[in-house]
Amino acid sequence: MNCLRIFSTPDGESHFGEIDIPTTLTRSFPNGAPAANYESSRSAFYEASRVRFVRIPGGAREADFHNPPGRLLVIWLDGEVEFETSDGEVRRVSAGKAVLVEDTHGKGHISRHPPEGQNVIQVLLPHGLDAPSA
């Protein structure tokens, strides 16, 4: 399973990348009814220290360059968000997608939100989902 990643390099520039989250095929409910006994791809569990629910208000539109308060896995529940990294690249993320945001130092990134606002879940990751150094 792939996940978009925003990270910063030692020079403080932010960039996009992808992280592959390894999964294995596992029986979902091995002791359940045959109809419920299907296989699904599952990752390992990752440690999370905090979770918060965020409502980005309508009209917020753009958050200029900023850094997250820590490594976050952000899940967009509705709408579409647009990110711009300090190297000028732009990516759009639709509802239901997750982004690993770990540009905790340097110039940060811009986020642009729909006029009606958005609902987001932020999961603070102390470690795990580690990507190779850029």
Side-chain angles (χ1 to χ4, degrees), residues 65-89:
F65 281 102
H66 62 282
N67 301 93
R71 293 180 71 238
L72 295 176
L73 183 66
V74 183
I75 301 111
W76 301 94
L77 300 177
D78 49 29
E80 182 179 77
V81 64
E82 180 178 275
F83 290 108
E84 183 175 338
T85 52
S86 65
D87 65 5
E89 190 175 353

Side-chain angles (χ1 to χ4, degrees), residues 42 51 75 107 119:
R42 297 179 184 195
V51 175
I75 301 111
K107 296 178 182 177
N119 294 296

Side-chain angles (χ1 to χ4, degrees), residues 57-62 114-117:
R61 302 294 290 166
E62 182 173 296
E116 65 274 8

Side-chain angles (χ1 to χ4, degrees), residues 1-118:
M1 178 180 298
N2 283 343
C3 180
L4 182 64
R5 175 179 177 233
I6 301 174
F7 66 97
S8 52
T9 49
D11 63 359
E13 295 293 334
S14 61
H15 309 276
F16 289 112
E18 285 196 1
I19 183 165
D20 182 40
I21 302 169
T23 60
T24 52
L25 209 51
T26 307
R27 289 258 177 233
S28 293
F29 304 101
N31 299 324
N37 192 11
Y38 55 86
E39 290 186 334
S40 60
S41 293
R42 297 179 184 195
S43 76
F45 280 102
Y46 294 95
E47 186 177 323
S49 62
R50 291 185 271 174
V51 175
R52 80 172 151 196
F53 299 84
V54 177
R55 171 71 185 150
I56 298 169
R61 302 294 290 166
E62 182 173 296
D64 204 359
F65 281 102
H66 62 282
N67 301 93
R71 293 180 71 238
L72 295 176
L73 183 66
V74 183
I75 301 111
W76 301 94
L77 300 177
D78 49 29
E80 182 179 77
V81 64
E82 180 178 275
F83 290 108
E84 183 175 338
T85 52
S86 65
D87 65 5
E89 190 175 353
V90 175
R91 300 259 185 111
R92 288 190 173 92
V93 177
S94 58
K97 300 291 183 184
V99 179
L100 179 59
V101 185
E102 54 185 357
D103 58 336
T104 57
H105 72 277
K107 296 178 182 177
H109 62 275
I110 296 171
S111 56
R112 297 181 183 100
H113 308 278
E116 65 274 8
Q118 287 184 293

